[in-house]
Amino acid sequence: MVTSSLAGIAPNPFDPVYSASKHAIIGLVRSLAPALTESGVTINAVYPGFVDTPMLAGIRDHVLRHHLAIADPDEVADAVQAIVRHGATGEAWVVQAGQPPEPVTFPAIDLMTRRLTGENDPT
């Protein structure tokens, strides 16, 4: 399990470098998952919102003043256990205070080249 932040899923104009590093985790997890599957290893990312940890101490009052949810660390731990039990791999999961973990839905993209029959067909 890899830990990121909601800043990896949503825009964060206040700290774009932090947000970019968290966005990168999605690409890492989704790209590693297929290679690790052959060896039976699963990898997922958890994207918590604000969590009541020492990292939040300096902005806790600001977060509360703006009525933003703050999760207890135990909620995140419970969510991680639920995600592991789910058994999937290569997924990103949002974890918000008072809500069950929820996977992020990504569009299906086919990267294979398609040739149109008869058009520029060298055969």
Side-chain angles (χ1 to χ4, degrees), residues 68-123:
L68 300 171
I70 299 176
D72 185 85
D74 288 340
E75 286 183 86
V76 178
D78 291 345
V80 167
Q81 289 179 344
I83 294 163
V84 169
R85 282 192 303 269
H86 186 264
T89 191
E91 294 185 344
W93 291 77
V94 172
V95 176
Q96 279 283 63
Q99 300 175 24
E102 180 179 340
V104 177
T105 303
F106 296 99
I109 299 172
D110 184 358
L111 298 177
M112 300 299 294
T113 305
R114 305 250 188 239
R115 278 195 316 183
L116 298 176
T117 305
E119 190 174 313
N120 298 325
D121 191 347
T123 57

Side-chain angles (χ1 to χ4, degrees), residues 14-81:
F14 304 106
D15 195 346
V17 174
Y18 175 81
S19 185
S21 69
K22 300 308 177 179
H23 273 78
I25 292 172
I26 290 174
L28 177 67
V29 166
R30 295 183 73 212
S31 296
L32 280 175
L36 295 174
T37 298
E38 292 178 19
S39 61
V41 175
T42 61
I43 183 169
N44 291 291
V46 63
Y47 286 78
F50 293 104
V51 181
D52 201 4
T53 66
M55 183 177 165
L56 190 65
I59 62 168
R60 191 174 201 288
D61 290 340
H62 176 79
V63 170
L64 290 173
R65 212 174 19 257
H66 287 86
H67 308 287
L68 300 171
I70 299 176
D72 185 85
D74 288 340
E75 286 183 86
V76 178
D78 291 345
V80 167
Q81 289 179 344

